[in-house]
Structures are given as C-alpha cells and as structure tokens.
Amino acid sequence: VCVPCQAGGGDPLLMVIEAWPPFRIADTSRECGYTGIDVDLIQAVSKQLNRRVEIRRYPWARCLHMMKTGQADLISGLAFTKERAEYIHYSKIPYYSVSPAFYMRQGEAHQIKEYSDLYRFTIGYSLGSAYFEPFNSDRNIRKHGAAKENLLIKMLSSGRLDVIIGTDANLAYDIAAQGLENKLVKTVYRPAHQTDLYIGVSKSSAFIHHSSQLDEVLVGLVRAGDIDRMAERYFNPH
C-alpha cells in the first residue's frame, strides 16, 4: 500500500522500507501507516523540502533492487557498501549509528568469546544486510539467510538456529517486543564496530539532481540534535 507522509509540492517521492524497529515500525494509527525514527526523520525532511514522500514496504533485498532500477527514489537505514554506492547516492553524513550483535539462547552465549568461535556455528542473518568486516565477506563462516529478522528470532528461540546476528538497537527492540529478552542474550563476543546509517537516493531517480538539498536538510537536523530527540521516544518498546 502506498501511503502519503507529508503534503508538499511536486511529484511525490517514493521511499521503500522494510519494517525495522525502532527505526521503522508498522502502526496503522499513523497517517502514513508507520512510525519510528526513520519515519519521523523523513517527515521532517519532506516538510523542509516541500515534497510529498510516499512509503511502500517490501523485503529489504527488493528495496535495494528497486533503488538499483530507479523504481524507488529514497531508502533509509542504509549501511555503506561499495556495491550499493554504484547505484545509490549516500547522504553527505549519516543520521544515526548502530552496532552489530550476536545473540544466542540464555546459558549458551558464553560459547562465543571471540571472532574465531563463530566458525563453529551456522549464523542466521537478514538477506541483503551488511554488518561488519570481515564477517560480511568471510566465506568460511556458515551463514543462513532469512528474509525477515523476526523469523531469525523465532528460529533461534525454537532451536532451529544457535546463533543470529543483527544490529542493536533494533534487534534488542524486536526481542523485547516478543517477550524474549530473558531467553535470548548477547554473546560474550561483541564486535568493536559501529555501522553508520544513511538516507540513500537512487542514482536512476530524477531526484538525484536535488540530492544536495536533501544533504543540506539532513546536516541541519543532525547538528541541531533533532534526530537524537526523535530517537529517544522509541528506545523502550513496552
């Protein structure tokens, strides 16, 4: 379903998303059908640009494909990779940072104390996601991809997977929202890495010619502390 986020002039821009709390949360009570950090952010951007933004939800891998083909104009929550940068213009600065985290069942998390321990397990991950190097490109680690992070959580809880990777705060949010915060816990090993999140503009979109305006607005919001204030409202899922 295509839903308006903000009235404005010009043709509407299409932003594609996958639900990723607390950044993008399905919420039928909201006009645009979603709430969360990214939605509040894009509404602020939309208002300052005076351009209407419409949101459609797809699996993450399809969102990236639509950005590549120019079927979509914008995407949020985007980690930088060289491959994506070939078809996506990244915002001048990131608007937030998240950290990768591995989770196991309570009582088992001590089994992964360092990176080399990962080779003993099959690691569940979200298809199309980038976490950190060397993990992203490490072909010696057995990996099981799933379309949705919530499916990984269910597989870990039910014993179908022993380890999953995700990014906090969203993975911790999803686990707590399912009442599993005492059952699924972070491993002893925690990567010393942060992933910056950007807004991306498809290089095949007509809006690419106005990407500098988006950059200017985003820099202003970050420097004013507006995005940090947006984020504070979503860190407790209960």
Side-chain angles (χ1 to χ4, degrees):
V1 178
C2 185
V3 287
C5 248
Q6 175 71 44
D11 295 330
L13 301 173
L14 174 61
M15 184 172 81
V16 287
I17 65 169
E18 171 61 291
W20 198 51
F23 295 92
R24 302 179 293 276
I25 309 166
D27 184 351
T28 56
S29 70
R30 292 286 293 268
E31 178 187 358
C32 70
Y34 292 87
T35 188
I37 299 167
D38 287 9
V39 176
D40 290 353
L41 169 60
I42 207 65
Q43 286 180 329
V45 169
S46 170
K47 184 176 182 179
Q48 291 200 36
L49 291 178
N50 194 34
R51 290 290 298 269
R52 187 160 62 98
V53 178
E54 298 180 344
I55 293 176
R56 292 179 188 168
R57 177 184 175 183
Y58 297 101
W60 186 245
R62 184 172 178 188
C63 290
L64 293 173
H65 177 73
M66 292 178 71
M67 292 292 290
K68 189 172 186 177
T69 60
Q71 294 172 277
D73 302 294
L74 301 171
I75 193 168
S76 63
L78 192 68
F80 181 86
T81 70
K82 290 182 179 179
E83 178 187 3
R84 294 173 184 174
E86 292 179 2
Y87 58 91
I88 294 176
H89 164 80
Y90 281 78
S91 54
K92 185 176 181 179
I93 61 171
Y95 65 91
Y96 211 83
S97 295
V98 295
S99 300
F102 294 93
Y103 278 77
M104 298 181 76
R105 289 178 292 278
Q106 181 72 263
E108 300 176 358
H110 66 281
Q111 296 181 64
I112 298 181
K113 295 185 174 68
E114 56 189 31
Y115 184 87
S116 60
D117 292 329
L118 296 174
Y119 295 113
R120 298 163 47 203
F121 301 94
T122 297
I123 314 295
Y125 74 101
S126 294
L127 290 168
S129 294
Y131 299 102
F132 70 100
E133 290 296 343
F135 180 84
N136 294 335
S137 58
D138 195 335
R139 296 185 179 182
N140 293 317
I141 292 179
R142 298 187 305 273
K143 301 173 186 178
H144 176 86
K148 296 182 179 180
E149 197 163 77
N150 278 337
L151 178 58
L152 293 174
I153 293 171
K154 291 177 181 178
M155 294 177 72
L156 178 60
S157 178
S158 65
R160 294 168 59 195
L161 281 172
D162 291 321
V163 189
I164 63 173
I165 186 175
T167 50
D168 280 338
N170 66 289
L171 185 53
Y173 180 101
D174 283 340
I175 288 172
Q178 295 185 37
L180 296 171
E181 62 267 39
N182 294 322
K183 185 175 180 180
L184 308 180
V185 298
K186 291 181 185 179
T187 61
V188 174
Y189 167 64
R190 299 181 184 182
H193 181 84
Q194 281 194 326
T195 298
D196 291 332
L197 300 180
Y198 297 83
I199 292 179
V201 180
S202 170
K203 290 184 177 179
S204 296
S205 164
F207 187 66
I208 191 65
H209 303 294
H210 305 281
S211 59
S212 61
Q213 297 174 25
L214 171 65
D215 289 338
E216 183 178 345
V217 169
L218 191 61
V219 167
L221 291 170
V222 170
R223 290 181 176 171
D226 292 342
I227 299 174
D228 287 337
R229 285 188 284 274
M230 294 173 189
E232 288 174 3
R233 299 199 292 267
Y234 296 101
F235 284 132
N236 186 351
H238 296 299

